Amino acid sequence: MECVEIIGGKPLSGRIEIQGSKNAVLPVLAGCVLHAGISRIRHCPRLQDVEDMIAILRELGCLVWWEEDCLTVDASFLSGTVLPKETAGRMRSSIFFLGALLGRCGQADIPYPGGCVIGARPVDFHVEAMRSMGAGIDEAEGRIAARAKRLRGVEITLKLPSVGATENIILAAVLAEGVTVINNGAKEPEIEELCRFLRGKGARIRLLPQGSLEITGVSALKDSEHELIADRIAAGTYLLAAAVTNGVVTLGRMPVQHMQALLDCLEKMNIAIKKEGKDITVDCRKPHRGIEFLETAPYPGFPTDLQSPMMTLLAVTEGRCRLRENVFEARFKTVEQLRAMGAQITTEGREAIILGVPGLHGAQVRAEELRGAAALFLAGLGAEGRTQISGCGFISRGYENICENLKQLGADISVEE
Ligand code: UD1
C-alpha cells in the first residue's frame, strides 16, 4: 500500500474490533526462539512488522505458520544465529534477538536495527546489559556480534525506563544462570505481556514490591499457547479518528485498563465515553473543549505513540495547546504536513504550540513514519475535500486492515498500490 486517497468530512459511525498488540507481539516472537518446541500465539495481528519477524525466524531455521489469527512458531530446529541485514536492518525489533539468541544459543550476530526515524534511538542499554550478564560483544561494520557460554544473572539499573531494553534483558535472563534483577525498568503493559507469555512457557519472573523485576533462570521452557492483549495504540488511534470526525463509534475487544491517560484526556475534551466490558463507545458530536497542556511520558502517562494522532485532533479543537514530547526527540515530523492541510502549529525543541482551527482542507501529503502516517489518515478523515497520502507503507507496519476498518466505519478511503 503506497498511496491512499481519502475524501474527508464524514463522521465515522459503527463498530470494529481492535487488533492484537504490535508492540507486545514483537518481543514475544523473538521469545519463541528460547524454546526448542512450539509456541502458539492467538489474536496475532497481521502486520508488516510481524511478517518481518517471521522472515527472520524462518532464516534462523524456525517453522512458522498461520491458522486464521493464530501464529505458531516451532523453534525445535534452530539452525542459525546470524540475522540477515535486509530484513533485520529494517526494523528496530530485530534487536530482541540479541537477548533471545544469546539465551538459547550463547551467540548472536545482529545488524544495527532500523525502524521509524523519530529520534536517535540508540541500543546502548541493550548492549551494556548483555555485557554485564557476561557476553563478549564486538560492534563493527554495522553489526553487533555477541557470545557467552551461558549468560549469568546480575542486577541491572537502567538509566531510563527503556521498553525495548527491559524486554531484551528479560529475554536474556529467562535461561541465564541465577537471578537477574531489573531496576528502573519500563512499566508498559507490553512488558507484563511478555512476562505473561514467558511464564506460560515455564519462566520464573516476578514483580518485586518496589517495582523491579526479578527473573530466575530456568534450564528449559515448554510448549505453550498464549492469547495476545489488544493494541492500546491502535485502539487509541481509532478513538481519535472518531473524535476528529465528530463521530459515534464502538470499539470491541478494547484494552480498557491500559488506556486511562487517553480516556481522561478525551473526557476533558467533552467527548462522551461509555464502557461496557471490553467495549468502548465514544460519542464525539458535542463541540470539543480544548486542553492547555499535554505531555507524553512512560506508562501510565500519555503514550508517545499517540502524540501525533492526538496532534491532529488538537489541530481542529478550539483553543491553544502546548504539547510536549518527552520520550523521543524528533517526533514532530508530521507538523509540516498538517500545516499543508491548514493546521496552525509551530514547534520549538520538544514542544509544539497548536492553535486550533475550525477545520482542515485536503492536500497531497507524505507519511514519514508509522504514527505520523496515522496522524495524516486522521487529518484526511476530518478534512474538507480530497487528501492524498503517499508513503503509506508505514501504516501497514502497525495497523491491521486499517483501510477496511475505516471503510466499515463509513470513511471514503481508497488505496492505490
Ligand atoms: C518502544 C515501542 C515504541 C514506543 C517506545 C516508547 C516497541 C516495539 N516499540 O520503543 O512504539 O514509542 O517504546 O514507549 O515496543 N534509549 C537509549 N538507549 C537505549 C534504548 C533507548 O538512549 O539503548 C532511549 C531512546 O532513544 C528513547 C528512550 O530511551 O529516547 C525510550 O526508548 P525505548 O523505551 O527504548 O523505546 P523502544 O523500545 O525503542
PDB file of all heavy atoms in Angstrom, residues 5-10 341 360-363 379-388 412:
ATOM      1  N   GLU A   5      -6.099   7.531  -0.784  1.00  0.00           N
ATOM      2  CA  GLU A   5      -6.875   8.751  -1.030  1.00  0.00           C
ATOM      3  C   GLU A   5      -8.086   8.747  -0.103  1.00  0.00           C
ATOM      4  O   GLU A   5      -8.789   7.739   0.004  1.00  0.00           O
ATOM      5  CB  GLU A   5      -7.320   8.777  -2.487  1.00  0.00           C
ATOM      6  CG  GLU A   5      -8.037  10.055  -2.837  1.00  0.00           C
ATOM      7  CD  GLU A   5      -8.323  10.140  -4.319  1.00  0.00           C
ATOM      8  OE1 GLU A   5      -7.386  10.400  -5.084  1.00  0.00           O
ATOM      9  OE2 GLU A   5      -9.486   9.926  -4.690  1.00  0.00           O
ATOM     10  N   ILE A   6      -8.306   9.865   0.564  1.00  0.00           N
ATOM     11  CA  ILE A   6      -9.437   9.976   1.493  1.00  0.00           C
ATOM     12  C   ILE A   6     -10.262  11.202   1.109  1.00  0.00           C
ATOM     13  O   ILE A   6      -9.709  12.284   0.916  1.00  0.00           O
ATOM     14  CB  ILE A   6      -8.956  10.129   2.958  1.00  0.00           C
ATOM     15  CG1 ILE A   6      -8.065   8.945   3.366  1.00  0.00           C
ATOM     16  CG2 ILE A   6     -10.140  10.260   3.914  1.00  0.00           C
ATOM     17  CD1 ILE A   6      -7.426   9.074   4.738  1.00  0.00           C
ATOM     18  N   ILE A   7     -11.571  10.996   0.990  1.00  0.00           N
ATOM     19  CA  ILE A   7     -12.456  12.159   0.854  1.00  0.00           C
ATOM     20  C   ILE A   7     -13.024  12.376   2.253  1.00  0.00           C
ATOM     21  O   ILE A   7     -13.757  11.527   2.779  1.00  0.00           O
ATOM     22  CB  ILE A   7     -13.625  11.897  -0.146  1.00  0.00           C
ATOM     23  CG1 ILE A   7     -13.110  11.291  -1.464  1.00  0.00           C
ATOM     24  CG2 ILE A   7     -14.444  13.176  -0.363  1.00  0.00           C
ATOM     25  CD1 ILE A   7     -12.324  12.220  -2.345  1.00  0.00           C
ATOM     26  N   GLY A   8     -12.638  13.488   2.845  1.00  0.00           N
ATOM     27  CA  GLY A   8     -12.913  13.679   4.273  1.00  0.00           C
ATOM     28  C   GLY A   8     -14.253  14.325   4.566  1.00  0.00           C
ATOM     29  O   GLY A   8     -15.050  14.584   3.669  1.00  0.00           O
ATOM     30  N   GLY A   9     -14.457  14.539   5.870  1.00  0.00           N
ATOM     31  CA  GLY A   9     -15.627  15.289   6.304  1.00  0.00           C
ATOM     32  C   GLY A   9     -16.814  14.435   6.695  1.00  0.00           C
ATOM     33  O   GLY A   9     -17.875  14.970   7.024  1.00  0.00           O
ATOM     34  N   LYS A  10     -16.659  13.092   6.676  1.00  0.00           N
ATOM     35  CA  LYS A  10     -17.788  12.235   7.070  1.00  0.00           C
ATOM     36  C   LYS A  10     -17.596  11.753   8.504  1.00  0.00           C
ATOM     37  O   LYS A  10     -16.567  11.137   8.797  1.00  0.00           O
ATOM     38  CB  LYS A  10     -17.844  10.997   6.172  1.00  0.00           C
ATOM     39  CG  LYS A  10     -18.160  11.309   4.759  1.00  0.00           C
ATOM     40  CD  LYS A  10     -18.430  10.043   3.995  1.00  0.00           C
ATOM     41  CE  LYS A  10     -18.770  10.440   2.574  1.00  0.00           C
ATOM     42  NZ  LYS A  10     -18.648   9.370   1.644  1.00  0.00           N
ATOM     43  N   MET A 341      -2.196  21.189   5.361  1.00  0.00           N
ATOM     44  CA  MET A 341      -3.647  20.958   5.347  1.00  0.00           C
ATOM     45  C   MET A 341      -4.397  22.063   6.106  1.00  0.00           C
ATOM     46  O   MET A 341      -5.590  21.933   6.358  1.00  0.00           O
ATOM     47  CB  MET A 341      -3.959  19.581   5.940  1.00  0.00           C
ATOM     48  CG  MET A 341      -3.328  18.442   5.147  1.00  0.00           C
ATOM     49  SD  MET A 341      -3.648  16.818   5.845  1.00  0.00           S
ATOM     50  CE  MET A 341      -5.383  16.612   5.471  1.00  0.00           C
ATOM     51  N   LEU A 360      -9.634  21.436   8.674  1.00  0.00           N
ATOM     52  CA  LEU A 360      -8.501  21.288   7.761  1.00  0.00           C
ATOM     53  C   LEU A 360      -9.046  21.141   6.344  1.00  0.00           C
ATOM     54  O   LEU A 360     -10.239  20.874   6.156  1.00  0.00           O
ATOM     55  CB  LEU A 360      -7.678  20.052   8.146  1.00  0.00           C
ATOM     56  CG  LEU A 360      -7.094  20.045   9.567  1.00  0.00           C
ATOM     57  CD1 LEU A 360      -6.369  18.723   9.836  1.00  0.00           C
ATOM     58  CD2 LEU A 360      -6.136  21.221   9.786  1.00  0.00           C
ATOM     59  N   HIS A 361      -8.146  21.289   5.361  1.00  0.00           N
ATOM     60  CA  HIS A 361      -8.571  21.042   3.981  1.00  0.00           C
ATOM     61  C   HIS A 361      -7.681  19.967   3.364  1.00  0.00           C
ATOM     62  O   HIS A 361      -6.518  19.776   3.776  1.00  0.00           O
ATOM     63  CB  HIS A 361      -8.527  22.330   3.154  1.00  0.00           C
ATOM     64  CG  HIS A 361      -7.192  23.014   3.207  1.00  0.00           C
ATOM     65  ND1 HIS A 361      -6.097  22.583   2.490  1.00  0.00           N
ATOM     66  CD2 HIS A 361      -6.769  24.091   3.922  1.00  0.00           C
ATOM     67  CE1 HIS A 361      -5.063  23.366   2.746  1.00  0.00           C
ATOM     68  NE2 HIS A 361      -5.434  24.280   3.617  1.00  0.00           N
ATOM     69  N   GLY A 362      -8.191  19.253   2.387  1.00  0.00           N
ATOM     70  CA  GLY A 362      -7.445  18.167   1.744  1.00  0.00           C
ATOM     71  C   GLY A 362      -6.190  18.694   1.067  1.00  0.00           C
ATOM     72  O   GLY A 362      -6.130  19.855   0.649  1.00  0.00           O
ATOM     73  N   ALA A 363      -5.179  17.841   0.970  1.00  0.00           N
ATOM     74  CA  ALA A 363      -3.919  18.215   0.307  1.00  0.00           C
ATOM     75  C   ALA A 363      -3.176  16.932  -0.059  1.00  0.00           C
ATOM     76  O   ALA A 363      -3.606  15.831   0.307  1.00  0.00           O
ATOM     77  CB  ALA A 363      -3.069  19.072   1.250  1.00  0.00           C
ATOM     78  N   ALA A 379      -6.165  13.221   9.800  1.00  0.00           N
ATOM     79  CA  ALA A 379      -6.334  14.564   9.232  1.00  0.00           C
ATOM     80  C   ALA A 379      -7.172  14.466   7.961  1.00  0.00           C
ATOM     81  O   ALA A 379      -8.091  15.274   7.745  1.00  0.00           O
ATOM     82  CB  ALA A 379      -4.968  15.180   8.951  1.00  0.00           C
ATOM     83  N   GLY A 380      -6.877  13.479   7.126  1.00  0.00           N
ATOM     84  CA  GLY A 380      -7.622  13.292   5.876  1.00  0.00           C
ATOM     85  C   GLY A 380      -9.090  12.994   6.147  1.00  0.00           C
ATOM     86  O   GLY A 380      -9.991  13.493   5.451  1.00  0.00           O
ATOM     87  N   LEU A 381      -9.359  12.201   7.179  1.00  0.00           N
ATOM     88  CA  LEU A 381     -10.756  11.840   7.501  1.00  0.00           C
ATOM     89  C   LEU A 381     -11.550  13.066   7.942  1.00  0.00           C
ATOM     90  O   LEU A 381     -12.740  13.186   7.658  1.00  0.00           O
ATOM     91  CB  LEU A 381     -10.789  10.802   8.627  1.00  0.00           C
ATOM     92  CG  LEU A 381     -10.259   9.412   8.285  1.00  0.00           C
ATOM     93  CD1 LEU A 381     -10.109   8.582   9.550  1.00  0.00           C
ATOM     94  CD2 LEU A 381     -11.187   8.709   7.295  1.00  0.00           C
ATOM     95  N   GLY A 382     -10.852  13.970   8.666  1.00  0.00           N
ATOM     96  CA  GLY A 382     -11.552  15.142   9.195  1.00  0.00           C
ATOM     97  C   GLY A 382     -11.614  16.299   8.212  1.00  0.00           C
ATOM     98  O   GLY A 382     -12.433  17.207   8.365  1.00  0.00           O
ATOM     99  N   ALA A 383     -10.727  16.283   7.200  1.00  0.00           N
ATOM    100  CA  ALA A 383     -10.586  17.466   6.334  1.00  0.00           C
ATOM    101  C   ALA A 383     -11.704  17.559   5.309  1.00  0.00           C
ATOM    102  O   ALA A 383     -12.311  16.561   4.924  1.00  0.00           O
ATOM    103  CB  ALA A 383      -9.242  17.398   5.612  1.00  0.00           C
ATOM    104  N   GLU A 384     -11.919  18.774   4.865  1.00  0.00           N
ATOM    105  CA  GLU A 384     -12.847  19.032   3.755  1.00  0.00           C
ATOM    106  C   GLU A 384     -12.139  18.614   2.469  1.00  0.00           C
ATOM    107  O   GLU A 384     -10.984  18.991   2.250  1.00  0.00           O
ATOM    108  CB  GLU A 384     -13.054  20.554   3.723  1.00  0.00           C
ATOM    109  CG  GLU A 384     -14.461  21.150   3.694  1.00  0.00           C
ATOM    110  CD  GLU A 384     -15.622  20.207   3.828  1.00  0.00           C
ATOM    111  OE1 GLU A 384     -15.982  19.819   4.970  1.00  0.00           O
ATOM    112  OE2 GLU A 384     -16.191  19.888   2.776  1.00  0.00           O
ATOM    113  N   GLY A 385     -12.776  17.816   1.645  1.00  0.00           N
ATOM    114  CA  GLY A 385     -12.215  17.506   0.325  1.00  0.00           C
ATOM    115  C   GLY A 385     -11.273  16.313   0.300  1.00  0.00           C
ATOM    116  O   GLY A 385     -11.288  15.472   1.200  1.00  0.00           O
ATOM    117  N   ARG A 386     -10.418  16.293  -0.740  1.00  0.00           N
ATOM    118  CA  ARG A 386      -9.611  15.104  -1.070  1.00  0.00           C
ATOM    119  C   ARG A 386      -8.188  15.218  -0.498  1.00  0.00           C
ATOM    120  O   ARG A 386      -7.497  16.199  -0.757  1.00  0.00           O
ATOM    121  CB  ARG A 386      -9.531  15.038  -2.595  1.00  0.00           C
ATOM    122  CG  ARG A 386      -8.803  13.843  -3.182  1.00  0.00           C
ATOM    123  CD  ARG A 386      -8.692  14.023  -4.690  1.00  0.00           C
ATOM    124  NE  ARG A 386      -9.989  14.314  -5.287  1.00  0.00           N
ATOM    125  CZ  ARG A 386     -10.804  13.403  -5.823  1.00  0.00           C
ATOM    126  NH1 ARG A 386     -10.427  12.140  -5.880  1.00  0.00           N
ATOM    127  NH2 ARG A 386     -11.961  13.747  -6.331  1.00  0.00           N
ATOM    128  N   THR A 387      -7.764  14.193   0.244  1.00  0.00           N
ATOM    129  CA  THR A 387      -6.381  14.138   0.724  1.00  0.00           C
ATOM    130  C   THR A 387      -5.700  12.926   0.111  1.00  0.00           C
ATOM    131  O   THR A 387      -6.262  11.829   0.139  1.00  0.00           O
ATOM    132  CB  THR A 387      -6.342  14.027   2.272  1.00  0.00           C
ATOM    133  OG1 THR A 387      -6.948  15.197   2.828  1.00  0.00           O
ATOM    134  CG2 THR A 387      -4.919  13.919   2.795  1.00  0.00           C
ATOM    135  N   GLN A 388      -4.526  13.141  -0.465  1.00  0.00           N
ATOM    136  CA  GLN A 388      -3.751  12.015  -0.990  1.00  0.00           C
ATOM    137  C   GLN A 388      -2.513  11.860  -0.128  1.00  0.00           C
ATOM    138  O   GLN A 388      -1.723  12.802   0.009  1.00  0.00           O
ATOM    139  CB  GLN A 388      -3.363  12.267  -2.441  1.00  0.00           C
ATOM    140  CG  GLN A 388      -4.565  12.076  -3.365  1.00  0.00           C
ATOM    141  CD  GLN A 388      -4.263  12.525  -4.772  1.00  0.00           C
ATOM    142  OE1 GLN A 388      -3.632  13.558  -4.969  1.00  0.00           O
ATOM    143  NE2 GLN A 388      -4.710  11.748  -5.738  1.00  0.00           N
ATOM    144  N   ASP A 412     -14.672   7.343   3.382  1.00  0.00           N
ATOM    145  CA  ASP A 412     -14.477   7.249   1.934  1.00  0.00           C
ATOM    146  C   ASP A 412     -12.970   7.193   1.701  1.00  0.00           C
ATOM    147  O   ASP A 412     -12.292   8.219   1.679  1.00  0.00           O
ATOM    148  CB  ASP A 412     -15.110   8.490   1.273  1.00  0.00           C
ATOM    149  CG  ASP A 412     -15.085   8.383  -0.244  1.00  0.00           C
ATOM    150  OD1 ASP A 412     -14.295   7.579  -0.775  1.00  0.00           O
ATOM    151  OD2 ASP A 412     -15.853   9.128  -0.881  1.00  0.00           O
TER     152      ASP A 412
END
